[in-house]
Amino acid sequence: MPPKAVTKSAPLPPKEAALFKTLLSQYEARQLKKAIKTADQILKKVGNHGETISMKGLVLTYQGKREEGMELVKKGVLLDLQSHICWHVHGLVHKQDKNYEEALKCYAQALKYDPGNMNILRDTATLQSQLRRFDHLEQTRLTILKLRPSLKQNWVALSVAYGLNNDWVAAQKLLEEFLSMVKEVPPFDPEFSELLLFYLTVLERNGNYEKALKQLEEYTEANKVVDRMHAATFQPRLLQKLGRTEEANEKYKTLIARNPDCYDFYRAYFGHNGLSLDDSSPESINTLTSELELFANQFPHALVPRRLPLTITSGELFQTLVKQYILRGLKKNIPSLFADLKPLYGDDTKRSVIQSIVEQYRDELEAESGTKDEDDSPTTYVWTLYFLGLHYSAQGEYQRAHDILNKAIEHTPTLPELYTAKARNLKRAGDHVGAAAALDVAAELDGQDRFLNTKCATYHLRMGDVEGAQKFLGMFTKKDALSPAKDLEDMQSFKFLLEDGEARMRENMLPMALKRFRTIDKIFLDFNDEQFDFHGFCIRRFTLNIYFDVVKWANDLRWHSIYIRAILNATKIYLRLFDTPGLAAEQTAPVPEPEGEKKSKKQMKRDKVKAAEEARKAAEKEKDEDAVVVKDDDPDGHKAISVEDPLEQAAKLLQTFTSEDHQVFDIWIATYDVAIRRKKYLQSLRALAKAKHLRPSSPEVHLRLIDFQLQVSSLDKESESMESILVKEGLSRLAPGEQSLVVQNSQYLQNNSTNAPAIVSVARASHKIGVSISEVEDVAFSLLRDDVDLKYQVGVDALQLLEEINSTRVTEFRDGCQKRLPLSTAFLSKDELAKLKQKAAPQDPDASEETAANGDLVIEPTDTTPNP
């Protein structure tokens, strides 16, 4: 039974009051055991002292006893409702739990009874910054300044609060008042320099360009600005806004001379002169080209003034300039030349010009073997083939790229870049086994290269070889870690977590896949929480401009592509759990070991080494009794997947996005998939309308539009509920109500008869509508027509559909896809794919005794490609 609430407890006797002060000191020094003893000593005399009970509960939470500690904190608040200490402690416990809203409420209660408490005010200001309550932050910072006007941090903190609330005029007045009181500051003081730069930024935001420029020049001459690069970029921008064109041009040219390969300096310079690299008018192009030609002559080793004209020019001028640029790059053996020119491939004409130039140069090199130009080194030919291989691969001509890269490897078999290019081409073609084998060769050429080993691990994951990938990653992780995967998780390696999760998802290992995606979600949540400390740190260190960047970065954190990808994958797993009852139990069931199976010598040796290593680590942990070991309570992901409400879990993941009017198409599609299963028809309609607005002809939208009409057809047509009325009105704007679903599906197929994803979408929609299996098969087999640009991912999707409907033509479709895509291994049977992976596996030195009888097998990456 909870204690009866008491408005105000009696004060402690003198001895216990002194002990309470000692308790506070021990807590601040994190002497937790001593603090518990002191609290117990007080409670022996005064057992119902709310503040002592609250402090004891707070200490217990730091010792890991959160439930017991929270109960004591609540009890303490009830015993002394007017104690600011009790309410402050209650807020601190909520802050530990990342429950910032409740913590802020507790701080507000604490300030009612002690409005001048600086610790509570500072904690309140930090929470208001974290929760973006900038209007209330102004008042809190103003109160702190009134109480402690002698601290310069309080002046700066209030000006920052004004800035966060977009009240730049008030921020300027406050900073000017503060700077007028500042005494002489030594030159090159970094903190004062950051404050002055923030003041100049405030002046610029308020439109006081003349004053900002004058102050900047004074501060620079007096050596008060340490960040000279910031000042150098600030000055021409102010000159530009003041209309002092000539001076601004000179400053921009100085910046370009300082770094002639910085794109931003060129864009700023041209933008100041009213020129844009996106302007296609002949006058603008001529002016830009002539200016860039002057820069290219002035800086002969710079690439940017030679690269920018390729973006804006066309026709014969483009052909002349791009030929010079390409030949220069090939003769200098620049590996990134193709990546540099790839943005131009959006223009088909430019793409064909580049192809003809490189092919012509390749032919000249092959024809003039003994009379080449003196600038053509022996490696120029192989880098030309490398460029063409990447070019054809980007074009979707995988077989042609494969042949050219094999030719380059025959010419120079010791160049790792050739194998990485070959692997990338095979990956795009659908041969993940061959891609991993090619990167194995590249890693052998340079075993200490982290990039190659990381790439190799990534491709092994895409092949489904999770254990093999961890061997490569283990070369660069901590040797005393439980596993390379655990160390990479602790280091918050998004690359590994995402690729490993997707690999396990493809292999139907859903528990660990879901755990990986939820780990990414947790890491991003930690990122958001970690900004908490920066609210006070940046003000103390006067890194004010950076602080505004941190706030903006944190606001956009959840829109990072990695986070969105992880959330979408986790949502797909939850949907599978809902659609397939019993799947979670099937995934978490123990796998019995086959009876009578004998372990190989290699496996026995590995088990022995692993057991010894685990025993050593356990012994080391026992030595340090005070060490806090964070245990993984779900090492296999079974808890993550064993949820009773997968749909609600998916909805929680998407809640961050659905509350905003964003432009991420895949998120709206996932929102629809979850909402329609939850029978949230209005939310489904909104998501579908947003997705259709973004991509009106998308196959994903078409399939879900058919599905939505099927779902709402079960609603009571005579119903006059608000939901039914809104659903009918919204649906009438999305789909032609007078046409049947079959007609809608047929018309969409006619309009997108050569679009492979659209054909699969129509086939799935046909199955949903209820047409015969033969009709669905006919639609799916239209993918094999020559006029359809078939990618292996789409073929796999169609193959899965045929397997779902128990089609008798699965093998026929598999063979047809293999014929259309000869490089792909995605359409091999499981047994064929397993044999191919075994053949491509790198030789294990530990298994030399077992393989001696079979001889040494050397597997080249080209051997993994299936025969057409």
Side-chain angles (χ1 to χ4, degrees):
M1 183 175 179
K4 185 178 179 181
V6 179
T7 305
K8 181 67 178 178
S9 62
L12 288 171
K15 182 179 178 181
E16 281 68 30
L19 285 175
F20 186 76
K21 291 181 180 179
T22 303
L23 171 61
L24 295 177
S25 301
Q26 290 169 343
Y27 162 73
E28 292 175 356
R30 292 298 185 268
Q31 298 174 353
L32 303 182
K33 292 181 180 180
K34 291 182 179 180
I36 292 293
K37 291 181 181 179
T38 304
D40 290 337
Q41 190 175 353
I42 297 173
L43 293 174
K44 284 181 181 179
K45 297 289 185 179
V46 188
N48 61 346
H49 188 248
E51 294 179 349
T52 303
I53 293 174
S54 294
M55 285 301 302
K56 181 179 179 180
L58 178 62
V59 174
L60 287 175
T61 61
Y62 278 99
Q63 290 183 330
K65 305 173 183 178
R66 301 202 62 79
E67 293 183 1
E68 182 182 355
M70 193 64 183
E71 288 298 323
L72 288 178
V73 169
K74 292 179 180 178
K75 180 181 177 181
V77 172
L78 288 174
L79 289 171
D80 197 347
L81 290 174
Q82 292 186 2
S83 169
H84 71 277
I85 292 179
C86 292
W87 284 111
H88 191 192
V89 168
H90 201 186
L92 290 174
V93 174
H94 280 304
K95 190 182 74 171
Q96 289 179 9
D97 295 333
K98 310 296 193 268
N99 192 353
Y100 299 129
E101 293 281 355
E102 291 300 321
L104 189 57
K105 293 178 183 178
C106 293
Y107 290 163
Q109 285 293 115
L111 289 173
K112 285 183 180 180
Y113 306 113
D114 191 2
N117 190 298
M118 291 299 299
N119 290 330
I120 302 176
L121 284 169
R122 279 195 291 265
D123 288 346
T124 301
T126 305
L127 278 178
Q128 288 168 342
S129 300
Q130 180 76 7
L131 296 173
R132 306 300 190 260
R133 308 283 177 80
F134 297 137
D135 50 345
H136 298 113
L137 178 63
E138 283 188 12
Q139 299 301 320
T140 304
R141 289 297 186 186
L142 181 58
T143 302
I144 294 175
L145 179 59
K146 290 178 179 179
L147 291 173
R148 297 283 180 84
S150 59
L151 290 178
K152 61 181 180 181
Q153 288 91 344
N154 295 338
W155 291 82
V156 175
L158 180 56
S159 66
V160 169
Y162 285 138
L164 290 172
N165 203 31
N166 290 321
D167 190 356
W168 296 103
V169 175
Q172 178 181 338
K173 292 179 180 178
L174 187 70
L175 286 172
E176 288 174 347
E177 184 179 353
F178 171 70
L179 291 174
S180 65
M181 297 185 296
V182 173
K183 297 180 181 179
E184 291 188 7
V185 179
F188 300 110
D189 182 86
E191 293 185 359
F192 191 66
S193 170
E194 289 295 322
L195 176 61
L196 294 178
L197 289 174
F198 176 65
Y199 171 57
L200 295 175
T201 302
V202 172
L203 290 175
E204 182 186 17
R205 285 183 176 271
N206 287 328
N208 299 326
Y209 307 129
E210 190 70 44
K211 185 176 182 179
L213 181 61
K214 181 181 178 181
Q215 294 293 109
L216 176 61
E217 293 173 349
E218 290 181 3
Y219 296 152
T220 305
E221 291 176 1
N223 294 327
K224 292 182 179 180
V225 175
V226 177
D227 191 350
R228 294 303 177 93
M229 191 63 196
H230 190 144
T233 55
F234 206 152
Q235 189 175 17
R237 189 168 70 244
L238 293 174
L239 290 169
Q240 172 189 351
K241 292 179 178 179
L242 288 171
R244 296 160 64 173
T245 306
E246 295 298 328
E247 297 177 65
N249 281 343
E250 291 301 320
K251 296 297 181 182
Y252 277 123
K253 289 180 179 179
T254 302
L255 286 173
I256 292 174
R258 186 171 183 172
N259 184 3
D261 278 321
C262 179
Y263 279 92
D264 293 337
F265 292 163
Y266 289 95
R267 293 184 182 277
Y269 171 73
F270 291 130
H272 162 65
N273 289 281
L275 300 172
S276 173
L277 295 175
D278 300 325
D279 189 355
S280 58
S281 62
E283 298 81 4
S284 177
I285 292 176
N286 292 335
T287 305
L288 287 168
T289 305
S290 59
E291 287 277 359
L292 289 168
E293 185 178 0
L294 294 175
F295 284 122
N297 294 331
Q298 184 179 357
F299 310 110
H301 298 291
L303 290 178
V304 173
R306 292 174 172 79
R307 172 63 181 82
L308 285 176
L310 305 183
T311 304
I312 59 178
T313 57
S314 59
E316 294 183 1
L317 180 58
F318 170 78
Q319 186 171 358
T320 302
L321 294 176
V322 77
K323 183 175 183 178
Q324 296 174 356
Y325 192 82
I326 290 175
L327 297 185
R328 183 175 184 267
L330 292 176
K331 291 177 181 179
K332 288 183 175 292
N333 300 339
I334 299 177
S336 61
L337 179 61
F338 175 78
D340 185 14
L341 295 176
K342 191 176 179 181
L344 301 175
Y345 279 42
D347 188 326
D348 293 339
T349 303
K350 292 185 177 181
R351 183 173 63 245
S352 61
V353 168
I354 292 173
Q355 177 177 328
S356 63
I357 290 173
V358 181
E359 286 179 342
Q360 181 181 358
Y361 186 57
R362 187 262 320 264
D363 296 339
E364 292 176 0
L365 292 176
E366 291 177 344
E368 302 175 3
S369 57
T371 59
K372 294 193 294 288
D373 188 273
E374 60 180 5
D375 292 335
D376 297 335
S377 66
T379 57
T380 301
Y381 176 64
V382 74
W383 286 109
T384 304
L385 294 179
Y386 173 76
F387 184 97
L388 284 174
L390 295 176
H391 168 83
Y392 291 129
S393 180
Q395 293 286 95
E397 301 180 45
Y398 305 125
Q399 186 64 57
R400 193 173 182 182
H402 186 67
D403 296 338
I404 286 181
L405 290 170
N406 278 337
K407 186 176 182 180
I409 290 173
E410 291 177 5
H411 182 279
T412 308
T414 57
L415 188 62
E417 284 83 354
L418 296 177
Y419 296 97
T420 59
K422 180 177 180 177
R424 188 180 300 114
N425 180 63
L426 290 174
K427 176 202 71 172
R428 292 171 176 169
D431 182 11
H432 293 288
V433 180
L439 270 172
D440 286 340
V441 179
E444 290 175 1
L445 293 174
D446 191 354
Q448 300 301 315
D449 191 310
R450 290 190 178 220
F451 170 77
L452 289 177
N453 282 281
T454 302
K455 269 291 182 184
C456 199
T458 302
Y459 276 54
H460 273 269
L461 286 173
R462 291 172 180 169
M463 184 180 69
D465 182 16
V466 177
E467 294 184 1
Q470 293 201 26
K471 290 180 182 179
F472 286 99
L473 296 170
M475 297 173 62
F476 303 103
T477 55
K478 294 179 180 179
K479 302 304 178 184
D480 58 345
L482 293 176
S483 66
K486 181 60 179 174
D487 188 42
L488 290 167
E489 180 180 336
D490 293 339
M491 291 191 297
Q492 300 178 338
S493 173
F494 289 131
K495 181 69 173 178
F496 167 75
L497 292 172
L498 195 58
E499 291 288 352
D500 186 70
E502 291 179 344
R504 295 176 186 273
M505 190 175 174
R506 287 190 294 269
E507 297 296 322
N508 202 34
M509 302 162 63
L510 301 184
M512 281 303 297
L514 182 58
K515 182 185 176 182
R516 295 292 188 233
F517 300 139
R518 292 309 303 249
T519 299
I520 294 176
D521 178 45
K522 181 180 179 299
I523 291 173
F524 272 87
L525 182 62
D526 291 342
F527 283 172
N528 185 66
D529 293 334
E530 285 167 1
Q531 67 167 312
F532 189 91
D533 297 328
F534 280 88
H535 298 303
F537 173 81
C538 291
I539 291 176
R540 290 196 305 271
R541 304 299 298 177
F542 284 57
T543 54
L544 307 178
N545 287 306
I546 297 300
Y547 173 66
F548 278 82
D549 294 338
V550 170
V551 171
K552 183 179 182 302
W553 169 82
N555 291 339
D556 299 336
L557 189 60
R558 291 302 178 100
W559 301 103
H560 196 284
S561 59
I562 289 178
Y563 181 74
I564 291 177
R565 194 167 149 189
I567 293 301
L568 290 174
N569 285 326
T571 302
K572 291 176 182 177
I573 293 177
Y574 283 128
L575 292 178
R576 284 187 60 183
L577 293 175
F578 177 80
D579 295 339
T580 313
L583 179 60
E586 177 186 336
Q587 289 282 329
T588 55
V591 180
E593 294 184 2
E595 296 182 2
E597 182 180 293
K598 294 183 179 180
K599 293 184 178 181
S600 64
K601 293 181 180 180
K602 177 180 68 173
Q603 187 62 39
M604 293 173 62
K605 180 180 177 181
R606 287 178 177 172
D607 291 345
K608 186 177 180 180
V609 172
K610 183 178 180 180
E613 183 66 17
E614 291 178 353
R616 182 185 65 80
K617 293 177 181 178
E620 289 180 355
K621 290 179 181 178
E622 289 179 359
K623 292 180 181 179
D624 189 3
E625 296 181 355
D626 296 331
V628 178
V629 180
V630 180
K631 294 184 179 180
D632 189 353
D633 60 347
D634 189 20
D636 299 322
H638 289 179
K639 288 185 179 180
I641 202 171
S642 301
V643 293
E644 297 180 357
D645 52 349
L647 277 185
E648 296 303 319
Q649 295 295 326
K652 288 180 181 178
L653 289 176
L654 296 170
Q655 187 175 6
T656 306
F657 306 101
T658 54
S659 60
E660 299 186 28
D661 187 15
H662 58 82
Q663 305 295 313
V664 184
F665 175 80
D666 292 332
I667 290 292
W668 287 120
I669 292 296
T671 302
Y672 169 84
D673 291 339
V674 173
I676 198 66
R677 288 169 172 82
R678 298 175 68 207
K679 306 299 181 183
K680 305 287 186 180
Y681 296 114
L682 288 178
Q683 188 178 8
S684 304
L685 180 64
R686 175 175 178 257
L688 191 57
K690 292 290 185 181
K692 187 175 178 63
H693 174 72
L694 294 173
R695 300 181 189 176
S697 301
S698 169
E700 300 285 347
V701 172
H702 169 72
L703 176 60
R704 282 156 181 82
L705 187 57
I706 296 292
D707 176 70
F708 186 70
Q709 294 177 79
L710 287 171
Q711 295 282 349
V712 300
S713 62
S714 60
L715 294 177
D716 186 4
K717 297 182 179 179
E718 303 299 328
S719 175
E720 295 297 331
S721 66
M722 182 61 68
E723 182 184 30
S724 298
I725 295 174
L726 292 175
V727 167
K728 292 174 184 177
E729 290 181 357
L731 185 58
S732 64
R733 292 191 293 268
L734 294 178
E738 66 279 0
Q739 292 181 351
S740 65
L741 299 182
V742 175
V743 173
Q744 293 180 36
N745 205 32
S746 177
Q747 287 186 352
Y748 184 79
L749 179 61
Q750 292 177 6
N751 296 332
N752 301 273
S753 59
T754 60
N755 186 329
I759 293 173
V760 177
S761 176
V762 170
R764 288 193 175 276
S766 300
H767 179 57
K768 281 182 175 291
I769 294 170
V771 302
S772 63
I773 292 180
S774 60
E775 292 183 43
V776 177
E777 290 173 341
D778 292 340
V779 175
F781 270 80
S782 64
L783 287 169
L784 304 179
R785 298 199 315 264
D786 293 336
D787 60 338
V788 176
D789 184 15
L790 179 63
K791 303 295 183 182
Y792 84 92
Q793 299 95 332
V794 181
V796 169
D797 191 13
L799 182 62
Q800 291 175 350
L801 172 62
L802 294 176
E803 292 174 346
E804 290 171 7
I805 65 176
N806 298 320
S807 172
T808 58
R809 303 176 64 186
V810 170
T811 304
E812 180 186 352
F813 183 79
R814 190 191 300 272
D815 295 339
C817 289
Q818 192 66 69
K819 184 177 180 181
R820 283 288 311 274
L821 306 169
L823 288 178
S824 176
T825 59
F827 304 101
L828 298 178
S829 65
K830 291 184 178 180
D831 293 338
E832 292 173 332
L833 194 58
K835 291 179 181 179
L836 195 63
K837 289 181 180 180
Q838 185 178 5
K839 182 181 178 183
Q843 188 71 19
D844 190 344
D846 294 336
S848 57
E849 297 180 4
E850 301 179 28
T851 59
N854 298 326
D856 295 329
L857 298 177
V858 180
I859 306 300
E860 296 293 336
T862 53
D863 295 338
T864 64
T865 305
N867 294 325

